[in-house]
Amino acid sequence: MMNDHHPTREDLRLPDVLLALGNPIRLAAVKQIAIGECICSDFVTDVSKSTMTHHWRVLREAGVIRQRPEGRVIYMSLRRDDLEARFPGLLSAIFNADQATSA
């Protein structure tokens, strides 16, 4: 069963967010979620379902994503407003740095 823990905006901690976004699989997932709300099955990776579940939990507990269950489907969205309010410019800086490194 999914733990519904989503930290409040005030409880977001920079070390947790940076740790969550420091993993290439999680960063790629967040970049896809940044485009719009997604469901878990939208992500095709070379890792097992249980490993992706771990990645989703890390992102959720760090406050990077919000998970919303609807029946048997879990919708995920980026907590862009909360992250921007707490750490202005952080997401843009991380996405831009990752894009520059990939180029």
Side-chain angles (χ1 to χ4, degrees), residues 1 14 50 87 91 93:
M1 180 164 181
L14 185 58
S50 62
F87 313 111
L91 281 178

Side-chain angles (χ1 to χ4, degrees), residues 14 17-23 26-28 30-31 64 83 87 89-102:
L14 185 58
V17 172
L18 292 175
L19 180 67
L21 294 174
N23 178 281
R26 291 193 290 262
L27 181 57
V30 168
K31 287 170 73 175
V64 176
L83 291 166
F87 313 111
L90 178 67
L91 281 178
S92 295
I94 290 173
F95 290 166
N96 290 338
D98 182 59
Q99 186 176 10
T101 304
S102 302

Side-chain angles (χ1 to χ4, degrees), residues 8-57:
T8 64
R9 177 182 287 183
E10 295 75 26
D11 288 336
L12 297 181
R13 296 183 54 240
L14 185 58
D16 296 337
V17 172
L18 292 175
L19 180 67
L21 294 174
N23 178 281
I25 293 171
R26 291 193 290 262
L27 181 57
V30 168
K31 287 170 73 175
Q32 186 172 343
I33 293 170
I35 297 169
E37 189 174 60
C38 299
I39 60 174
C40 292
S41 61
D42 287 343
F43 298 90
V44 178
T45 65
D46 293 333
V47 300
S48 69
K49 183 177 177 180
S50 62
T51 299
M52 279 310 298
T53 298
H54 165 75
H55 289 307
W56 299 136
R57 182 179 54 78

